[in-house]
Amino acid sequence: MEAQNPMSTLFIFVIFGLIFYFMIYRPQAKRNKEHKKLMSELAKGTEVLTAGGLIGKITKVTEGSDSIVIALNDTTEITINRNYIVSVLPKGSLKSL
């Protein structure tokens, strides 16, 4: 049997590193960046969807805190961690439900 060339082993590691970067690390970093942008844009009156499937309108945002208050309807308000906001809905989404 012939010994493997060290350069070919290094080449294989480089290929695996590139695959890891483009298929795992880069998409995850992009999602994290988009989520941070979403969190910075949260404001009172914004209609949002939570990770639990609740749809409501933000009624209170405290800058130093991680929690926000969401009104589900006219009488029900809940306090959740702002990281559980999945997406911002277009204006008027609550009226159409």
Side-chain angles (χ1 to χ4, degrees), residues 25-85:
Y25 178 75
R26 190 169 178 221
Q28 184 65 35
K30 186 177 178 182
R31 277 191 294 273
N32 286 344
K33 184 178 177 182
E34 289 172 359
H35 189 70
K36 283 182 182 180
K37 182 180 177 224
L38 174 74
M39 292 299 110
S40 68
E41 293 175 351
L42 294 179
K44 184 177 178 180
T46 306
E47 296 176 3
V48 294
L49 172 68
T50 67
L54 299 174
I55 297 174
K57 186 181 285 191
I58 297 176
T59 57
K60 183 179 177 185
V61 178
T62 308
E63 286 302 318
S65 175
D66 283 341
S67 22
I68 59 173
V69 178
I70 297 176
L72 301 177
N73 56 29
D74 294 336
T75 59
T76 308
E77 288 187 342
I78 59 170
T79 303
I80 65 166
N81 189 312
R82 69 185 329 149
N83 291 328
Y84 288 105
I85 301 295

